[in-house]
Amino acid sequence: MQTFTGRCHCGDIVFEIDTTLDGVAICNCSICIRRNAVMHRVTADRFRLIQGEDALVLYQFNTGTAKHYFCGHCGMYPFHRPRIAPDAYTVNVFCLDGVDRDTIEAPVSYTHL
Protein backbone atom coordinates (compact mmCIF):
# COMPACT_ATOMS: atom_id res chain seq x y z
CA MET A 1 0.00 0.00 0.00
CA GLN A 2 1.18 3.50 -0.85
CA THR A 3 0.07 7.02 0.09
CA PHE A 4 -0.72 9.19 -2.92
CA THR A 5 -1.27 12.94 -2.80
CA GLY A 6 -3.78 14.38 -5.24
CA ARG A 7 -4.78 17.89 -6.14
CA CYS A 8 -6.91 19.88 -8.53
CA HIS A 9 -5.27 21.86 -11.33
CA CYS A 10 -4.90 25.12 -9.35
CA GLY A 11 -3.83 23.33 -6.16
CA ASP A 12 -6.61 24.69 -3.94
CA ILE A 13 -7.93 21.17 -3.29
CA VAL A 14 -5.43 18.66 -1.89
CA PHE A 15 -6.22 15.12 -0.74
CA GLU A 16 -4.43 11.90 0.13
CA ILE A 17 -5.35 8.27 -0.42
CA ASP A 18 -3.81 5.09 0.90
CA THR A 19 -4.08 2.37 -1.72
CA THR A 20 -2.46 -0.07 -4.04
CA LEU A 21 -3.09 1.30 -7.51
CA ASP A 22 -3.78 -2.13 -8.95
CA GLY A 23 -6.76 -1.26 -11.10
CA VAL A 24 -8.50 1.76 -12.57
CA ALA A 25 -11.84 2.20 -14.27
CA ILE A 26 -13.56 4.32 -16.84
CA CYS A 27 -17.15 4.65 -15.71
CA ASN A 28 -19.89 4.45 -18.31
CA CYS A 29 -22.52 6.62 -16.60
CA SER A 30 -23.68 9.78 -18.37
CA ILE A 31 -21.44 12.27 -16.55
CA CYS A 32 -18.31 10.11 -16.51
CA ILE A 33 -18.54 9.46 -20.25
CA ARG A 34 -18.45 13.21 -20.82
CA ARG A 35 -15.62 14.02 -18.39
CA ASN A 36 -13.53 11.02 -19.54
CA ALA A 37 -11.75 10.58 -16.20
CA VAL A 38 -9.88 7.44 -15.21
CA MET A 39 -10.81 6.56 -11.64
CA HIS A 40 -9.82 4.42 -8.68
CA ARG A 41 -12.05 3.67 -5.67
CA VAL A 42 -10.93 3.73 -2.04
CA THR A 43 -12.84 3.27 1.21
CA ALA A 44 -13.57 6.39 3.23
CA ASP A 45 -11.00 5.50 5.88
CA ARG A 46 -8.30 5.61 3.18
CA PHE A 47 -9.23 9.11 1.93
CA ARG A 48 -8.21 12.38 3.57
CA LEU A 49 -9.13 15.87 2.38
CA ILE A 50 -6.06 17.91 3.37
CA GLN A 51 -7.19 21.32 2.16
CA GLY A 52 -9.77 23.02 0.00
CA GLU A 53 -13.13 22.02 1.48
CA ASP A 54 -14.26 25.60 0.89
CA ALA A 55 -13.28 25.33 -2.81
CA LEU A 56 -15.34 22.18 -3.46
CA VAL A 57 -18.50 22.51 -5.53
CA LEU A 58 -21.02 19.67 -5.35
CA TYR A 59 -22.93 18.47 -8.40
CA GLN A 60 -25.72 15.88 -8.15
CA PHE A 61 -28.22 14.60 -10.68
CA ASN A 62 -30.85 11.89 -11.20
CA THR A 63 -31.28 10.10 -7.82
CA GLY A 64 -28.98 12.56 -6.02
CA THR A 65 -27.08 9.69 -4.40
CA ALA A 66 -23.71 10.22 -6.10
CA LYS A 67 -21.80 13.32 -5.05
CA HIS A 68 -19.55 14.70 -7.78
CA TYR A 69 -17.05 17.28 -6.53
CA PHE A 70 -15.32 19.92 -8.61
CA CYS A 71 -12.95 22.75 -7.79
CA GLY A 72 -14.87 26.01 -7.81
CA HIS A 73 -11.79 27.85 -9.08
CA CYS A 74 -10.22 25.71 -11.83
CA GLY A 75 -13.16 23.36 -12.57
CA MET A 76 -11.12 20.17 -12.11
CA TYR A 77 -12.91 16.99 -11.03
CA PRO A 78 -10.70 15.40 -8.33
CA PHE A 79 -13.10 12.84 -6.79
CA HIS A 80 -16.68 11.78 -6.16
CA ARG A 81 -18.78 9.63 -3.82
CA PRO A 82 -20.27 7.01 -6.16
CA ARG A 83 -23.93 6.05 -6.34
CA ILE A 84 -23.24 2.33 -6.00
CA ALA A 85 -20.83 2.83 -3.07
CA PRO A 86 -21.76 6.16 -1.41
CA ASP A 87 -19.51 5.49 1.59
CA ALA A 88 -16.42 5.26 -0.65
CA TYR A 89 -14.46 7.79 -2.69
CA THR A 90 -13.60 7.43 -6.35
CA VAL A 91 -10.63 9.58 -7.30
CA ASN A 92 -9.47 10.86 -10.66
CA VAL A 93 -6.11 9.07 -10.94
CA PHE A 94 -4.69 11.81 -13.15
CA CYS A 95 -5.06 14.21 -10.20
CA LEU A 96 -2.59 12.04 -8.24
CA ASP A 97 0.99 13.34 -8.11
CA GLY A 98 3.31 11.18 -10.20
CA VAL A 99 0.56 9.35 -12.08
CA ASP A 100 0.06 10.09 -15.75
CA ARG A 101 -0.92 8.29 -18.94
CA ASP A 102 2.67 7.21 -19.54
CA THR A 103 3.36 5.77 -16.07
CA ILE A 104 0.11 4.09 -15.05
CA GLU A 105 0.43 0.33 -15.22
CA ALA A 106 -2.89 -0.73 -13.65
CA PRO A 107 -5.41 -2.62 -15.78
CA VAL A 108 -8.40 -0.57 -16.96
CA SER A 109 -11.99 -1.76 -16.67
CA TYR A 110 -15.16 -0.18 -18.03
CA THR A 111 -17.97 -0.13 -15.49
CA HIS A 112 -20.31 1.91 -13.32
CA LEU A 113 -18.43 3.36 -10.37
Side-chain angles (χ1 to χ4, degrees):
M1 187 165 313
Q2 182 178 350
T3 298
F4 291 89
T5 300
R7 62 191 82 243
C8 64
H9 189 257
C10 70
D12 282 353
I13 297 169
V14 178
F15 62 94
E16 290 180 339
I17 60 169
D18 300 318
T19 193
T20 301
L21 198 57
D22 56 0
V24 298
I26 297 173
C27 181
N28 58 8
C29 79
S30 62
I31 190 171
C32 291
I33 293 268
R34 286 168 177 78
R35 73 174 164 222
N36 197 30
V38 176
M39 298 168 281
H40 179 77
R41 186 181 305 156
V42 296
T43 57
D45 63 325
R46 293 187 175 172
F47 177 93
R48 292 173 301 285
L49 182 61
I50 305 300
Q51 74 177 40
E53 185 172 1
D54 58 331
L56 288 173
V57 175
L58 173 64
Y59 175 70
Q60 292 178 282
F61 65 98
N62 197 10
T63 67
T65 304
K67 295 178 178 163
H68 300 267
Y69 292 99
F70 298 85
C71 176
H73 301 120
C74 67
M76 181 61 58
Y77 150 70
F79 55 86
H80 76 275
R81 308 284 310 250
R83 179 184 52 81
I84 62 171
D87 293 332
Y89 284 86
T90 302
V91 302
N92 179 349
V93 297
F94 296 131
C95 288
L96 300 175
D97 294 345
V99 176
D100 62 34
R101 293 180 193 274
D102 296 328
T103 62
I104 194 161
E105 296 179 10
V108 178
S109 65
Y110 297 86
T111 185
H112 278 296
L113 290 175

